[in-house]
Amino acid sequence: MDIKVIIDLIKVALENGFAYGVLALGVYVTYSILDFPDLSVDGTVPLGATVSAVLILQGMNPWLSCLIAFLAGAAAGCVTGLLHVKLHIRPLLCGILVMTALLSINLMVMMQGTGGMSTAALYNFPTIVKAFPVGLIPENIHGYKLRIVVVTLALAVLCKLLMDGYLKTKSGLLLRAAGSNEQFVTMLARNPGVSKILGLAIGNGLAALAGAILTHNKGSADLQMGQGMVVIGLASVIIGTSMFRGFRWMKDTTKVIFGALIYSACLQVALAFGLPSSLLKLLQAVLFVLALVCTDMLDGGLHKRAKAVKGGR
């Protein structure tokens, strides 16, 4: 394989991987911290993509459009949380209901913003990879277009640092407690439901932001972008937290980003070796199953090792 092809392969894997990393951070909040199986991600990713694209078409600053996309996703996450906390609907059903509702909302936003089109093309409009200050970065570095990689890396690191900082606050600690021990939160005279709603808002806000980043990277948005995104997010979290489990010095937020990069690399390698794009969703499902199986095997090995050590004492 030609060296230029390999570099292009790595470049695309990094571009998508860092965007998936932002998505994985959101899924990490709902899946790992809150232990909430949130399927509304498949709706909030295209919501963020659609909102950001439509706002850019209306002349809004691309960075501001990403912020509003995050807020739109956070609002959808709040709805998921309210359905669970206030109406006592099961978490799985809450996600399905919000995801279903977002199918119509996304379609309505897209049709209104594009004049009846099902896709929004941004090729002639400013995006975060063209706007200030990113526009100051050379588009070609030694013959390779690496600007998108730099932007997505910076956004993924920024989201990770903000997440790390938030989880150290009192609200972040309550969020962790709400996912592992609701009674403890109640004993502190706090409402665990509020923490759940906040966590779902953050998780879906990051998912929507990931959708906006993918839109800016591609230069277009469509309503099919959300298909399989919950699988990508979950697989990234599982791969990252499992493969780097022994690295105790590494934060979980860093691990899930690395998991997203590994997942993206696997997809790109498969496509490079001739996998038809029509089978991409099947490959995503297979990779997710492999991640689950490998995690179970690793957990089983660690459990046996712990029993052996305990028995030898």
Side-chain angles (χ1 to χ4, degrees):
M1 188 178 291
D2 185 73
I3 184 65
K4 189 176 187 306
V5 175
I6 295 176
I7 294 177
D8 288 337
L9 185 67
I10 295 174
K11 182 175 75 73
V12 175
L14 291 175
E15 290 173 359
N16 293 333
F18 286 125
Y20 293 158
V22 176
L23 168 65
L25 287 172
V27 174
Y28 169 73
V29 174
T30 56
Y31 175 75
S32 295
I33 296 180
L34 288 179
D35 193 21
F36 193 103
D38 184 20
L39 296 183
S40 58
V41 168
D42 273 8
T44 49
V45 169
L47 173 66
T50 301
V51 167
S52 181
V54 167
L55 290 176
I56 290 175
L57 292 178
Q58 303 302 317
M60 181 173 287
N61 180 279
W63 294 105
L64 184 57
S65 75
C66 288
L67 176 60
I68 295 177
F70 173 86
L71 296 176
C78 286
V79 174
T80 304
L82 289 170
L83 289 175
H84 174 63
V85 173
K86 299 299 182 182
L87 300 183
H88 306 290
I89 300 175
R90 294 181 180 180
L92 199 62
L93 291 177
C94 293
I96 293 173
L97 288 171
V98 172
M99 178 184 66
T100 304
L102 287 176
L103 292 175
S104 295
I105 294 174
N106 293 339
L107 178 62
M108 181 179 66
V109 172
M110 180 67 79
M111 292 295 184
Q112 290 291 329
T114 61
M117 303 291 291
S118 60
T119 59
L122 304 176
Y123 304 116
N124 297 320
F125 290 86
T127 60
I128 60 173
V129 298
K130 301 176 184 176
F132 181 85
V134 179
L136 300 177
I137 302 174
E139 187 172 0
N140 288 293
I141 302 176
H142 298 294
Y144 297 99
K145 296 182 178 180
L146 301 178
R147 186 188 288 177
I148 296 178
V149 175
V150 174
V151 175
T152 50
L153 168 61
L155 289 173
V157 171
L158 177 62
C159 291
K160 175 217 154 11
L161 294 176
L162 291 175
M163 179 66 68
D164 290 340
Y166 169 72
L167 292 176
K168 293 178 182 178
T169 64
K170 183 183 294 185
S171 176
L173 293 174
L174 286 173
L175 179 66
R176 289 179 179 274
S180 58
N181 192 342
E182 290 189 27
Q183 292 182 347
F184 177 73
V185 179
T186 305
M187 288 173 58
L188 295 175
R190 302 287 184 175
N191 186 355
V194 174
S195 294
K196 285 187 175 182
I197 294 173
L198 179 60
L200 287 165
I202 294 173
N204 282 278
L206 288 171
L209 178 59
I213 294 172
L214 289 170
T215 290
H216 290 250
N217 290 355
K218 284 185 10 178
S220 64
D222 60 78
L223 299 175
Q224 307 300 320
M225 292 180 65
Q227 291 183 356
M229 284 298 173
V230 66
V231 172
I232 293 175
L234 285 172
S236 299
V237 171
I238 292 171
I239 291 172
T241 54
S242 299
M243 290 189 64
F244 301 98
R245 180 176 300 181
F247 298 83
R248 298 186 180 274
W249 51 269
M250 187 183 294
K251 294 181 181 294
D252 284 346
T253 50
T254 305
K255 293 177 183 178
V256 300
I257 292 177
F258 277 119
L261 291 172
I262 294 171
Y263 188 89
S264 176
C266 291
L267 294 179
Q268 295 304 318
V269 168
L271 291 174
F273 279 96
L275 180 76
S277 58
S278 59
L279 298 179
L280 186 59
K281 300 301 180 183
L282 176 61
L283 176 61
Q284 291 178 358
V286 170
L287 289 175
F288 184 44
V289 172
L290 290 175
L292 290 173
V293 172
C294 292
T295 302
D296 290 340
M297 292 175 62
L298 181 61
D299 289 340
L302 292 174
H303 182 66
K304 289 180 181 179
R305 188 181 305 174
K307 287 183 65 177
V309 172
K310 189 175 181 181
R313 291 179 179 176

